Amino acid sequence: MNFMTANYTDVGIKKKTNQDSMLILQASTNAGNVLLAALCDGMGGLSKGELASATMIKLIAQWFSEKLPKLLESGFDRNQLWDQWAKLVNEGSDMIADYGAQIHVNLGTTAVALLIVGNSYYILNVGDSRVYLITDKCNQMTKDQTYVQREMDAGRMTPEQALNDPQRNVLLQCIGASRTVVPDFSFGTVQPNQVFMLCCDGFRHVISPDEFYQAFNANVLTSKEVMVENLKKMTKLNISRNEDDNISAILIKTL
């Protein structure tokens, strides 16, 4: 499997700092080309959010270079991947929380990660950043770990009510703010000519799935330049609709 990738980030119209951090890493291995993408959104209401997200991204990058090669050599067991990712997230959470205690501030971050090995994808999720898979439509692949998602799951809130609920950004888990973090994991099969999108909540609050499909389906994304240009267009659309958070996204097209 080969890949075409792009990413874009903007501080937005309200915040003074960009608290989002991202990475895209690729390697040629005995298992073929592998790709890891990750996006972390430092919590907007917490101090030093940009440090929390950058710390988690650094740990994910270290895992890619140090742990993944050994996992591939041993035959790549999915359960071992989940165990390593769960340990990684909780190590990061402890590190971020301990640093926050030392400097007497609260800080935390969400995290989504996508790993593609062979014809399979693997997803990690903590918080409310998201992974989408764009095929013949825009499919949300992660479930938000939020108060409003829990209320919707319990039948106490409709999706329409959740959009405008004052607690829509309240997280049930946060790396650094939750001492024990339980990530969500998922996996599936990937095919050529599909598009994955990782994004922070600021990128998708005011954009519909159909608008994402129109901008990011595989037939439209004919080059890296088009990918970047369409990310910029969606960012401008967010800003025109008064999105006040940081705005960040990653695109991966399979070839």
Side-chain angles (χ1 to χ4, degrees), residues 163-178:
L163 286 173
N164 299 306
D165 192 278
Q167 299 187 78
R168 71 174 186 174
N169 294 324
V170 175
L171 298 181
L172 301 180
Q173 291 196 106
C174 177
I175 298 171
S178 304

Side-chain angles (χ1 to χ4, degrees), residues 7-182:
N7 64 285
Y8 190 74
T9 187
D10 192 283
V11 70
I13 60 176
K14 182 178 179 179
K15 293 186 176 180
K16 295 182 179 179
T17 59
N18 192 333
Q19 297 180 322
D20 297 340
S21 300
M22 299 180 286
L23 67 76
I24 306 171
L25 298 172
Q26 297 187 55
S28 179
T29 74
N30 291 334
N33 295 328
V34 299
L35 177 143
L36 176 67
L39 186 148
C40 295
D41 179 358
M43 300 316 300
L46 302 178
S47 302
K48 302 284 188 180
E50 65 275 17
L51 177 61
S53 64
T55 297
M56 199 63 225
I57 286 292
K58 182 178 179 180
L59 290 174
I60 294 170
Q62 289 176 343
W63 174 86
F64 182 84
S65 62
E66 297 174 5
K67 299 290 187 180
L68 179 58
K70 297 177 182 178
L71 191 60
L72 292 171
E73 289 173 5
S74 65
F76 196 83
D77 180 84
R78 185 173 67 245
N79 290 325
Q80 288 185 25
L81 174 67
W82 295 161
D83 288 344
Q84 289 185 13
W85 275 1
K87 183 179 180 181
L88 180 70
V89 164
N90 279 281
E91 287 178 350
S93 192
D94 289 343
M95 183 183 301
I96 293 166
D98 289 344
Y99 177 73
Q102 292 174 18
I103 62 174
H104 306 293
V105 298
N106 294 318
L107 61 159
T109 185
T110 69
V112 287
L114 169 74
L115 175 68
I116 300 178
V117 178
N119 64 348
S120 298
Y121 68 81
Y122 306 88
I123 293 173
L124 171 151
N125 175 51
V126 178
D128 64 350
S129 296
R130 290 182 180 175
V131 178
Y132 292 88
L133 173 58
I134 301 170
T135 53
D136 58 342
K137 62 179 180 178
C138 186
N139 307 279
Q140 183 180 334
M141 307 304 288
T142 53
K143 179 180 284 190
D144 299 341
Q145 297 179 342
T146 58
Y147 165 79
V148 295
Q149 184 64 57
R150 184 183 67 188
E151 295 302 291
M152 286 190 291
D153 290 345
R156 294 186 291 263
M157 184 180 293
T158 67
E160 292 74 23
Q161 290 172 326
L163 286 173
N164 299 306
D165 192 278
Q167 299 187 78
R168 71 174 186 174
N169 294 324
V170 175
L171 298 181
L172 301 180
Q173 291 196 106
C174 177
I175 298 171
S178 304
R179 275 295 184 171
T180 300
V181 181
V182 182

